[in-house]
Amino acid sequence: TMLGAGAAADRTAQTAMLCGLFERRPDVLHLIVVWPGAQVAPALSGWTASRVVQTLDAVRLLAAADFAVSAAGYNSFHEMLYGRVPAVFVPQVAPMMDDQDRRARAASDRGLAETVEATDLLRLQREIAAFLDGGKAEDVRARPPPEQHARCGSRDPRELVKRCDPAAAADERRRAERQ
């Protein structure tokens, strides 16, 4: 879990809910990743399946993760995508933040992650179950990595669509067969 240290919004409710959810799963070690020196709610240290990790090197932890729940700040967002870590993004929406919601939804629209609003704890629980038990993490990992997505100046966008979206590629084949 990388929801931030409360600079833009207090994420204690979401993090505590995740701790409780993962406490019931003996197959999960839940890491709460924060910057060194970040303020962490004392109640988060009482869970047996959850650990607070203060680090500047979240990338190494992500490499070992089955999936992550994260805010959609610029660094975290790109670390998830380029590390091919299946993620549920819970964007910060405070006025002083960049447009995390739009960034997270762009990844969701492409099947690279899922986006859940911070107040929708029931949906967050459902998405975690889908990622851990329903095969959604494997589906996200199976999508083309970001470097295979459209690049500026590409000559034939139809070819990029075929590579990046199997459903669109099938639609394109059907259209070609009808002609």
Side-chain angles (χ1 to χ4, degrees):
T1 300
M2 294 178 23
L3 291 176
D10 183 3
R11 293 299 183 90
T12 304
Q14 293 87 356
T15 306
M17 186 276 296
L18 293 169
C19 290
L21 182 67
F22 294 135
E23 193 74 9
R24 298 186 298 264
R25 298 186 65 109
D27 59 332
V28 171
L29 173 60
H30 174 222
L31 301 180
I32 303 162
V33 181
V34 297
W35 290 96
Q39 296 294 320
V40 178
L44 297 179
S45 63
W47 300 95
T48 59
S50 298
R51 305 279 184 281
V52 175
V53 179
Q54 295 189 3
T55 183
L56 294 174
D57 194 8
V59 174
R60 285 191 187 165
L61 295 173
L62 289 172
D66 293 324
F67 94 107
V69 177
S70 178
Y74 193 82
N75 291 336
S76 299
F77 175 84
H78 287 95
E79 288 165 355
M80 299 294 167
L81 291 185
Y82 286 102
R84 307 225 28 217
V85 178
V88 176
F89 288 119
V90 183
Q92 300 272 12
V93 294
M96 67 193 156
M97 303 302 290
D98 59 351
D99 199 347
Q100 290 193 17
D101 187 59
R102 183 175 292 175
R103 184 180 301 125
R105 290 188 190 288
S108 295
D109 291 348
R110 290 163 177 79
L112 300 171
E114 193 58 59
T115 302
V116 174
E117 292 181 25
T119 57
D120 199 347
L121 298 180
L122 291 175
R123 180 154 179 255
L124 181 56
Q125 284 185 297
R126 286 192 306 270
E127 288 300 336
I128 289 169
F131 272 76
L132 290 178
D133 304 322
K136 198 166 190 176
E138 290 80 17
D139 292 346
V140 169
R141 274 200 172 90
R143 300 289 296 176
E147 62 269 10
Q148 291 182 10
H149 284 230
R151 300 202 186 285
C152 294
S154 296
R155 292 187 185 145
D156 189 352
R158 288 181 300 262
E159 289 303 313
L160 290 169
V161 168
K162 287 178 190 174
R163 275 193 317 173
C164 297
D165 188 346
D171 290 344
E172 183 70 26
R173 280 193 302 277
R174 283 192 289 278
R175 271 194 291 278
E177 290 169 1
R178 285 187 292 231
Q179 293 177 352

